[in-house]
Amino acid sequence: MNISALALRTIPGAFILNAGISKLKLDGESAAGLQGMASTGVPAVKQLSPETFGKTLAWGEIALGSALLTPLVSNRLAGLALGGFSAGMLSMYFRNDAMTESDGVRPSQDGTPLAKDLWLAAIAVALISGQKKKG
């Protein structure tokens, strides 16, 4: 793995892994709050119980963070996984009117934490489109 791929994978990988680990002990009320937010972008999550949603989210973030941090996982595969994750986050951003200014693009104060996930999408594109190993 080259230095640029290492930089693209390590920081978001560690951040996402830590976020997943911190969600393992979510109480039902906190999981329900996250589920309500997530359902604005991915309506199908409403079908899960809050506890199941919380555990699924936690383990999904742990798996994604681990994949980004594991050199044996190809950049493309890690980028595809990160792209899927960031697409879900951005769907919450764009489908929730409170997250954007009246133009529907610029983040409101409430939307700024989700708008930053555009960076994750950019990292995913860089990982997917990066150079293949020659050999």
Side-chain angles (χ1 to χ4, degrees), residues 40-91:
T40 64
V42 184
V45 302
K46 289 180 193 176
Q47 297 175 1
L48 301 172
S49 71
E51 292 78 15
T52 300
F53 171 78
K55 292 293 183 197
T56 301
L57 178 61
W59 285 108
E61 288 181 353
I62 290 168
L64 175 58
S66 298
L68 286 164
L69 293 170
T70 302
L72 297 175
V73 176
S74 73
N75 286 340
R76 286 181 194 248
L77 183 57
L80 286 169
L82 182 60
F85 177 77
S86 64
M89 299 296 282
L90 291 172
S91 71

Side-chain angles (χ1 to χ4, degrees), residues 79 82-83 119-130:
L82 182 60
W119 298 333
L120 294 177
I123 291 168
V125 170
L127 289 170
I128 294 166
S129 64

